[in-house]
Amino acid sequence: MSKKDVGLRIRIDKELRQAFVEACRIQDMPASEVLREFMRQYAEQTNTQGNQLPLPLKRENTYL
C-alpha cells in the first residue's frame, strides 16, 4: 500500500454527505477508498483523451 501523505478538503451539502456515507456503508467500502478510486478512474479517462497526467493510478488495496 502506498503512503497517503496529502489531503483534499471539499465542502458539500450535508444531505449529499449522508447519502454517500450510507451508500459506502451498504457496499461495505470505506468512503475514502471510493473517492480515491473515482479520482483514479477520472484521471485515467482524462489520459485516454490525449492528456498525459503524471499520476500513480494503481490501486493501493483490494477493496474493489
Side-chain angles (χ1 to χ4, degrees), residues 5-54:
D5 59 355
V6 68
L8 176 67
R9 188 173 187 157
I10 62 171
R11 306 290 299 174
I12 58 174
D13 293 331
K14 183 178 182 179
E15 294 80 15
L16 175 59
R17 182 189 180 280
Q18 289 173 333
F20 178 71
V21 169
E22 180 63 13
C24 292
R25 186 193 66 75
I26 290 168
Q27 295 293 318
D28 196 27
M29 294 283 299
S32 58
E33 181 58 32
V34 173
L35 290 172
R36 281 191 293 272
E37 183 61 22
F38 169 78
M39 291 170 74
R40 272 186 220 98
Q41 291 174 0
Y42 189 80
E44 288 172 356
Q45 176 184 351
T46 300
N47 278 345
T48 61
Q49 295 171 353
N51 301 300
Q52 293 304 308
L53 302 174

